[in-house]
Amino acid sequence: MSFVERVKKNLEGKLRIEDGNCGTTHKVLREISRQGGKAIVWERPDGVYSKILDNKGNVVGEGEGITWPPAILFAMVEGGFFPEDIGSELTKSLQCIIDMEKVADIYGYGRVVTPVASAYNEVWKNGGHVAIRRNSWGIEVVFIDKEDKEIAVGPISYCPTCGTAATIPRAPALAAKIKEELKDKRNTGKDKYERKMENHFFFKNDKVCCEIIENGQLLGRASRCCIAYAGVVAEVHSGIAGPKWGALFKEYCKICPTKLCRKGKNTGEEANNLLVSLEKKNLKTDVRMDTYITATVKKEGGLLGEGIGTVCAFSSLMYAKARCIQLRSEIEVVRE
């Protein structure tokens, strides 16, 4: 039995649409890691390129995306790690790949948090808000103006941050403003591309581990509750992250109430299931940028819960559930 077949067999009956693109990617990467494999990702001008390696170092899947996690999922799909019906649905839920070049034209090199933070600030500053909602296996992001009219609806994407990045080009005036604002900003992804750095992702001790390699040498390593967060903290440990994000991400784990890593859980799976529960209750989720990415959950305009997170609104939602009794009581069943 081949490496891919072993992974696929061990995941039979365990893949659920409720876990979404993000939760599914982490579930498969965990099994790939158990079998001795890993994912490697490289920054490029138009986004990122990824490979899945088996336990012998052979390439068993290749993909691309606007940032690390969706590129890894695309490589998993291309590598045949999913049954045909699920693989087809996952591909449809990665429509943000279509907008890779447009997203990269705004900032590029797989960096999405910086332009996404700018988009949140701009929409909210003008009296609007940013909504996130599930669509098939993925996430759909909507920019809404102060008159409660939709400015732009993004493609079905991997997660809220990827979805926001892919929505920006669909609001041309906003895209032009953010591009101008960021044109002289330092881009860590560009630095890594020029230095030919590699990002190695795998599970170890129930956490996602990222190692950043340059010319065969380990620069930095971090283990966290998701691929993206592990990646940015590894950049901090490598000394290549920008000072603003570096300071925030160093501190977040100290204040996070969820401690998912200790429970062997990943943020994507838990948060996607939470979002499904919220939508079943007809609760609305908005996301904005304060010091951290902040998610709010409302019922008929009234605030039920609010939480802060790192690179994605998923971590913010989990924070809100952990801290807000009213929100937990509203969704009734807390998934363990």
Side-chain angles (χ1 to χ4, degrees), residues 258-313:
T258 66
K259 301 297 184 281
L260 290 177
C261 287
R262 296 179 188 174
K263 303 171 186 177
K265 298 179 178 181
N266 74 74
T267 302
E269 180 177 344
E270 296 300 308
N272 265 296
N273 279 272
L274 173 58
L275 193 52
V276 169
S277 298
L278 296 176
E279 292 186 348
K280 283 180 178 177
K281 293 287 184 176
N282 201 31
L283 304 179
K284 307 298 183 184
T285 305
D286 290 335
V287 60
R288 66 178 190 272
M289 187 71 199
D290 289 330
T291 302
Y292 290 98
I293 289 177
T294 303
T296 58
V297 180
K298 297 179 180 179
K299 180 180 181 181
E300 298 174 350
L303 183 66
L304 284 180
E306 181 174 285
I308 62 173
T310 55
V311 294
C312 182

Side-chain angles (χ1 to χ4, degrees), residues 154-170:
I156 307 174
S157 301
Y158 181 90
C159 71
T161 297
C162 298
T164 304
T167 307
I168 295 172
R170 301 191 177 196

Side-chain angles (χ1 to χ4, degrees), residues 80 126 218 226 254 306:
N126 289 301
L218 176 65
C226 80
K254 297 177 184 177
E306 181 174 285

Side-chain angles (χ1 to χ4, degrees), residues 102-308:
K102 293 178 182 177
V103 172
D105 183 58
I106 296 169
Y107 199 47
Y109 297 93
R111 314 314 286 191
V112 292
V113 176
T114 297
V116 162
S118 295
Y120 291 156
N121 287 333
E122 198 63 32
V123 173
W124 283 89
K125 184 175 71 177
N126 289 301
H129 59 107
V130 180
I132 61 172
R133 58 198 184 202
R134 283 291 302 261
N135 191 327
S136 184
W137 288 71
I139 294 292
E140 194 172 69
V141 173
V142 188
F143 294 166
I144 300 169
D145 68 15
K146 62 183 179 181
E147 306 295 335
D148 214 30
K149 295 179 181 178
E150 294 182 352
I151 304 169
V153 180
I156 307 174
S157 301
Y158 181 90
C159 71
T161 297
C162 298
T164 304
T167 307
I168 295 172
R170 301 191 177 196
L174 176 63
K177 184 168 186 175
I178 293 174
K179 181 179 178 179
E180 178 64 22
E181 176 188 322
L182 300 180
K183 69 177 183 180
D184 296 321
K185 294 273 188 179
R186 176 177 177 267
N187 188 316
T188 304
K190 184 174 186 290
D191 295 344
K192 291 170 70 181
Y193 168 74
E194 291 172 348
R195 293 171 62 175
K196 297 181 173 60
M197 293 181 182
E198 298 178 347
N199 309 281
H200 292 222
F201 293 100
F202 52 91
F203 268 83
K204 185 176 182 180
N205 298 326
D206 278 331
K207 299 179 182 179
V208 180
C209 182
C210 175
E211 294 180 342
I212 296 180
I213 311 292
E214 182 180 24
N215 297 323
Q217 299 296 313
L218 176 65
L219 291 188
R221 175 192 293 124
S223 295
R224 291 294 187 271
C225 58
C226 80
I227 292 168
Y229 188 26
V232 295
V233 177
E235 290 179 348
V236 174
H237 293 171
S238 301
I240 57 176
K244 174 187 174 182
W245 296 120
L248 289 176
F249 295 143
K250 271 185 177 178
E251 294 299 313
Y252 183 78
C253 275
K254 297 177 184 177
I255 61 171
C256 176
T258 66
K259 301 297 184 281
L260 290 177
C261 287
R262 296 179 188 174
K263 303 171 186 177
K265 298 179 178 181
N266 74 74
T267 302
E269 180 177 344
E270 296 300 308
N272 265 296
N273 279 272
L274 173 58
L275 193 52
V276 169
S277 298
L278 296 176
E279 292 186 348
K280 283 180 178 177
K281 293 287 184 176
N282 201 31
L283 304 179
K284 307 298 183 184
T285 305
D286 290 335
V287 60
R288 66 178 190 272
M289 187 71 199
D290 289 330
T291 302
Y292 290 98
I293 289 177
T294 303
T296 58
V297 180
K298 297 179 180 179
K299 180 180 181 181
E300 298 174 350
L303 183 66
L304 284 180
E306 181 174 285
I308 62 173

